[in-house]
Amino acid sequence: MTASQSRLDIDVVGFGNALVDVLSHQEDAFLERIGASKGAMNLIDAARSGELYELVGERVTVSGGSAANTVIGISSLGGTSGYVGRVSNDELGDIFSSDMQRLGITHTTPRAPSDDPTGRCIIFITPDGERTLNTFLGASNGLCSSDVDLALVARAKLLFLEGYLWDLPEAKAAMRHAASAVDPEGRVALTLSDQFCVERHRASFLDLINDHVDVLFANHHEVMSLFEVNDLDRALEMAQELVDLTAVTMGADGSVLITPDGFTRIAADPVARVVDKTGAGDLYAAGVLYGLARGYDLQRCGQLGSLAAEEVIGHVGPRPNTSLRDLAGALA
């Protein structure tokens, strides 16, 4: 083991909005009635969050947030992980922190005072499995550079940045601050998170990618939006020139991992029933990142990503219901 390998004793540190997810099944007509953009992440305030919460009947509540889902997936695969994300000193914050601790995920971000409540994301799941996110950021709004545990980041083989967090000016600075602390032998990964997020921040995303990012995650809509093209093949070619590795998901068409040397295409296995797409991209990233951290080839990395995504869309909620480590054993 080299000196740098001994320093880098955490597979992935995630960096994102620390939220509690509230999941509810609804019809398309419900989304139209409340004016929500289907399939998008809609930022809302505390009052709107309260209104929507009162509209839902049966619901499932779990701690979440995009990058948090990813590091939870890393844990399920048998990897080591940490997390940077701000919750409050309130009941939901206690739930979030205890979940991280129970799963063995290092979470050292200082808590916000109780009058700055933990954020929550109300997720409406339509019959086609699509999810529409209505996010009250709460305490995660206040995440700043001084909250970042640089010693934790320096131990990571990969730092995974959540694009959703790019909406907040102080968080932007904090993400760059964290990226600058990554060990020279480590890598920085970014997920674009959402097409509407890309449209809001295209230029500054490209700046961040050029300055810090080694691994980029996107779905096919997001990567075409990033490059402002309507042709997926052209977008993939442009991604090939941008970073060392780009992983693009394409739903039922599988995914592709792109390097300057070529494309590695991963077929999607048939899924008996798509119940809830919440967390699919997050868990795909978990599989790929885990594989990269463990030195696997790109084919296996992509297969792990596909396996993790397929498990999570078969049930309600953004976390694996079964051990991904056990499922991954079947790939060996």
Side-chain angles (χ1 to χ4, degrees):
M1 180 180 292
T2 67
S4 65
Q5 287 174 324
S6 64
R7 286 198 308 271
L8 306 185
D9 60 347
I10 298 177
D11 290 323
V12 179
V13 169
F15 192 120
N17 286 315
L19 307 170
V20 173
D21 289 342
V22 179
L23 300 105
S24 172
H25 286 279
Q26 300 291 342
E27 300 292 329
D28 287 349
F30 175 85
L31 299 183
E32 294 175 8
R33 190 166 73 249
I34 66 171
S37 299
K38 182 177 177 178
M41 192 279 281
N42 307 286
L43 284 174
I44 57 177
D45 59 18
R48 179 62 168 164
S49 179
E51 290 173 7
L52 295 180
Y53 190 79
E54 291 300 320
L55 288 176
V56 302
E58 292 187 13
R59 51 188 175 247
V60 176
T61 303
V62 294
S63 58
S66 178
N69 294 335
T70 297
V71 296
I72 288 167
I74 298 287
S75 176
S76 183
L77 282 160
T80 55
S81 57
Y83 183 70
V84 178
R86 187 172 183 258
V87 296
S88 179
N89 190 27
D90 59 10
E91 183 179 359
L92 291 182
D94 290 343
I95 291 171
F96 187 96
S97 292
S98 63
D99 275 354
M100 294 290 109
Q101 184 176 9
R102 178 176 56 82
L103 294 167
I105 298 166
T106 304
H107 179 222
T108 58
T109 312
R111 297 267 203 113
S114 57
D115 61 353
D116 185 5
T118 297
R120 65 183 172 191
C121 182
I122 301 175
I123 303 171
F124 298 124
I125 306 159
T126 43
D128 58 0
E130 189 60 80
R131 82 283 185 275
T132 300
L133 287 67
N134 301 273
T135 306
F136 164 55
L137 294 173
S140 64
N141 260 320
L143 184 69
C144 60
S145 295
S146 62
D147 293 322
V148 180
D149 184 344
L150 296 181
L152 177 67
V153 172
R155 293 167 55 195
K157 297 174 186 176
L158 291 123
L159 172 68
F160 180 60
L161 304 176
E162 176 186 318
Y164 285 134
L165 203 58
W166 204 244
D167 281 305
L168 309 170
E170 287 191 345
K172 285 183 181 180
M175 290 169 77
R176 285 185 169 274
H177 184 56
S180 298
V182 171
D183 188 274
E185 296 298 319
R187 286 182 280 183
V188 177
L190 169 71
T191 174
L192 294 180
S193 293
D194 181 274
Q195 181 180 349
F196 296 94
C197 194
V198 175
E199 291 170 1
R200 289 194 298 272
H201 305 295
R202 183 177 293 109
S204 58
F205 266 156
L206 287 168
D207 287 342
L208 175 67
I209 292 166
N210 286 325
D211 292 343
H212 293 292
V213 174
D214 305 294
V215 182
L216 180 65
F217 289 90
N219 65 29
H220 59 293
H221 297 299
E222 293 157 5
V223 75
M224 288 190 290
S225 178
L226 181 67
F227 296 115
E228 299 184 271
V229 296
N230 293 320
D231 180 81
L232 179 58
D233 289 338
R234 177 57 184 146
L236 299 183
E237 291 171 357
M238 295 173 75
Q240 190 174 22
E241 301 171 2
L242 189 64
V243 292
D244 295 339
L245 172 64
T246 304
V248 179
T249 57
M250 300 173 291
D253 292 326
S255 64
V256 58
L257 284 76
I258 306 162
T259 71
D261 295 327
F263 290 17
T264 300
R265 297 189 181 273
I266 309 296
D269 293 329
V271 177
R273 180 179 173 223
V274 177
V275 175
D276 173 14
K277 294 181 182 178
T278 307
D282 306 333
L283 270 294
Y284 177 85
V288 173
L289 291 169
Y290 174 79
L292 292 174
R294 297 303 171 107
Y296 298 158
D297 62 42
L298 291 182
Q299 184 72 32
R300 183 167 174 82
C301 289
Q303 289 173 339
L304 286 171
S306 181
L307 177 147
E310 287 160 9
E311 192 284 337
V312 82
I313 65 177
H315 57 78
V316 174
R319 294 182 179 184
N321 272 357
T322 58
S323 166
L324 294 180
R325 184 176 187 174
D326 291 346
L327 293 178
L331 291 177

